[in-house]
């Protein structure tokens, strides 16, 4: 069964600090891996999409990494801001509209 | 910018009522999706459509049906609402990227409460 596990479930950090969120997956076949940001009460918004051949992708202060051999991905947030407070969802596509969603990491950035 | 809109942000319905959730996208996307999101469970796919009048069951289609009569509009129907259908409902649309993958754009969600 395809699975996506995210850790930690929740995280509290001080404004200005960096943090890293983890995603482990057992999805086959692998097509791509996505990270979404979801603000409370809103729909998810795409941050990055990485295919098998990509091992790093950045979107502003967000940097995602992918290790297809170990089936692990991370999302690194640099110099966090209050507006980074949200849930971050890791999603792996197996192709043909087959998406497996992680349960998300809830990040709280405090002043 | 892609815009995906949903007809209501909040909805309260009674058990047994027929409920319609509407989703409209303005980017001429072929693919449209309906998900529900529950605490501790993440997003789960209910139905998706890859073309007008085409639909495919997702992981949890029971108790739901869909309609796609026009490319820009995808409706989710709860034939007889039940309390276990209380949830956040998210619509998404997508275009196909090079290599066959696609990028999804989500609507703001409809929080449905069935009493």
């Amino acid at each position: 069964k395809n699975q996506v596990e995210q850790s930690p479930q929740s995280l509290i950090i001080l404004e200005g600090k960096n943090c890293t969120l983890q995603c482990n997956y057992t999805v086959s076949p692998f097509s791509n891996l996505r990270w979404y940001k979801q603000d409370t009460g809103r729909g998810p918004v795409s941050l990055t999409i990485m295919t098998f051949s990509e091992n790093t992708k950045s979107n502003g202060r967000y940097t995602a990494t992918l290790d297809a051999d170990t089936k692990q991905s991370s999302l690194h947030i640099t110099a966090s801001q209050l507006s980074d407070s949200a849930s971050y969802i890791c999603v792996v596509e197996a192709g043909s509209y087959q998406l497996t969603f992680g349960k998300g990491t809830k990040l709280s950035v405090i002043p | 910018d892609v815009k995906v809109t949903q007809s209501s942000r909040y909805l309260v319905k009674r058990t047994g009522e027929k409920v319609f959730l509407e989703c409209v996208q303005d980017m001429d996307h072929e693919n449209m999706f309906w998900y529900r999101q529950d605490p501790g469970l993440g997003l789960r796919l209910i139905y998706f459509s890859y073309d007008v009048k085409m639909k495919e069951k997702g992981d949890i289609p029971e108790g739901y049906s869909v309609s796609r009569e026009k490319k820009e509009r995808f409706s989710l129907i709860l034939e007889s609402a039940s309390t276990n259908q209380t949830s956040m409902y998210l619509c998404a649309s997508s275009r196909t990227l090079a290599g066959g993958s696609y990028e999804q754009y989500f609507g703001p969600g409809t929080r449905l409460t069935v009493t």
Side-chain angles (χ1 to χ4, degrees):
Chain A
K1 182 182 176 183
N2 289 338
Q3 285 189 314
V4 174
E5 300 286 343
Q6 291 187 244
S7 62
Q9 282 190 329
S10 62
L11 183 61
I12 301 173
I13 62 171
L14 291 174
E15 185 179 10
K17 296 295 187 184
N18 303 335
C19 67
T20 300
L21 314 180
Q22 300 290 343
C23 173
N24 296 338
Y25 62 93
T26 53
V27 175
S28 183
F30 176 87
S31 177
N32 60 70
L33 184 145
R34 309 134 182 258
W35 283 94
Y36 286 92
K37 178 187 179 189
Q38 185 176 23
D39 293 318
T40 302
R42 315 295 278 183
V45 174
S46 178
L47 293 174
T48 64
I49 299 176
M50 289 185 292
T51 59
F52 186 87
S53 59
E54 296 173 296
N55 54 26
T56 302
K57 203 156 193 181
S58 292
N59 178 357
R61 294 179 297 101
Y62 300 100
T63 299
T65 65
L66 173 64
D67 185 335
D69 292 331
T70 61
K71 298 187 177 182
Q72 295 180 325
S73 176
S74 64
L75 181 70
H76 186 74
I77 304 174
T78 303
S80 61
Q81 300 175 359
L82 298 179
S83 59
D84 292 330
S85 294
S87 288
Y88 292 84
I89 302 171
C90 176
V91 185
V92 180
E93 180 185 354
S96 300
Y97 312 108
Q98 297 296 315
L99 297 180
T100 303
F101 288 79
K103 295 178 183 178
T105 293
K106 184 171 183 178
L107 175 66
S108 299
V109 181
I110 59 175
Chain B
D1 274 355
V2 175
K3 197 163 186 183
V4 180
T5 57
Q6 296 184 228
S7 50
S8 305
R9 291 299 312 277
Y10 301 94
L11 208 53
V12 180
K13 295 291 183 181
R14 293 194 181 275
T15 301
E17 278 192 84
K18 190 168 186 175
V19 181
F20 293 86
L21 303 183
E22 302 283 337
C23 175
V24 177
Q25 50 95 3
D26 66 358
M27 281 300 291
D28 202 36
H29 287 174
E30 292 80 17
N31 311 312
M32 297 188 75
F33 307 79
W34 274 107
Y35 294 90
R36 64 177 283 177
Q37 186 176 30
D38 301 288
L41 293 179
L43 275 80
R44 292 180 291 167
L45 180 65
I46 304 171
Y47 268 97
F48 71 94
S49 168
Y50 52 88
D51 202 351
V52 176
K53 296 191 186 293
M54 305 303 291
K55 60 185 179 184
E56 293 285 342
K57 292 180 180 179
D59 300 319
I60 51 164
E62 298 78 18
Y64 303 94
S65 62
V66 291
S67 171
R68 192 157 180 212
E69 296 296 319
K70 293 184 178 180
K71 193 174 187 180
E72 68 270 18
R73 188 179 298 269
F74 192 34
S75 302
L76 180 69
I77 302 151
L78 287 66
E79 295 290 341
S80 178
S82 62
T83 54
N84 62 14
Q85 292 178 310
T86 291
S87 186
M88 169 72 99
Y89 289 88
L90 290 161
C91 174
S93 72
S94 74
R95 59 186 172 90
T96 301
L97 304 173
S101 64
Y102 56 96
E103 184 172 6
Q104 284 186 315
Y105 297 86
F106 284 85
T110 295
R111 185 164 292 283
L112 173 67
T113 301
V114 182
T115 61

